[in-house]
Amino acid sequence: MPTNSSPNASDARSTIERILDGSRVVDAVQRVSTTAKRWLNATTERLTRVVQGSFLYRWLTAEPDPEVIVIDLRETYTVGPFIAILDRIVETLVPYYQQSLLKRGVDGLAALAARAADTRPGRLLVALFEPPEPPEGRDEPRDDRHDRDDE
């Protein structure tokens, strides 16, 4: 009884490997792939150095100054009246906004962003923009009087 005349899988695989081994197209694709990977790695490293060396990155990631004074601008004479006017305008416009097409569009965009945040690239972006964990041991306020007594 005659058997099936098709070559078995290992013969087909070895034939394909022989054809691809000497292929100029495969060699060209591999060279382009290698060059693209090197270029992408170098560009990523350069971009990382530029971003981390930028003033804005250093400013955004700097430790807060413990002696920062917070001023409530609502209590100032120059800015307070403008803030009061803005508060009244916002209170008047909120009911109109609640029923507007703009609010529906913003809500739809927020729902789309929430769905996108559940994807792998979305989680990567969220992790990228999350603030770093606070350093250990900085929770307790520093007592300068105790430091001076030791001297």
Side-chain angles (χ1 to χ4, degrees):
M1 189 159 162
T3 60
N4 191 353
S5 63
S6 64
N8 64 24
S10 63
D11 289 342
R13 186 175 295 131
S14 64
T15 303
I16 292 172
E17 287 174 357
R18 266 185 306 184
I19 291 170
L20 293 179
D21 280 344
S23 172
R24 291 181 186 170
V25 173
V26 171
D27 288 342
V29 168
Q30 287 175 342
R31 283 195 308 267
V32 167
S33 173
T34 303
T35 304
K37 286 178 186 176
R38 283 188 204 139
W39 178 83
L40 186 60
N41 288 338
T43 302
T44 303
E45 288 175 16
R46 265 185 267 143
L47 186 61
T48 301
R49 280 195 312 268
V50 168
V51 168
Q52 289 179 348
S54 71
F55 170 76
L56 183 61
Y57 178 85
R58 289 191 318 259
W59 181 73
L60 287 171
T61 58
E63 290 292 323
D65 187 5
E67 297 183 18
V68 172
I69 299 171
V70 178
I71 299 172
D72 186 4
L73 293 177
R74 294 174 192 272
E75 297 176 7
T76 63
Y77 291 114
T78 55
V79 181
F82 293 108
I83 293 176
I85 291 170
L86 286 175
D87 282 342
R88 286 190 193 114
I89 291 172
V90 168
E91 288 172 5
T92 304
L93 294 178
V94 163
Y96 296 107
Y97 172 74
Q98 294 295 334
Q99 313 236 337
S100 72
L101 181 64
L102 176 63
K103 182 183 183 309
R104 283 185 282 188
V106 169
D107 290 345
L109 189 60
L112 181 65
R115 265 189 270 139
D118 289 337
T119 63
R120 191 174 190 184
R123 287 190 298 269
L124 179 65
L125 276 174
V126 167
L128 185 67
F129 287 109
E130 275 183 335
E133 293 293 324
E136 297 294 325
R138 297 258 340 234
D139 295 338
E140 300 175 7
R142 216 174 120 189
D143 189 6
D144 289 336
R145 289 176 294 154
H146 180 68
D147 292 341
R148 278 188 242 124
D149 291 342
D150 292 340
E151 292 176 359

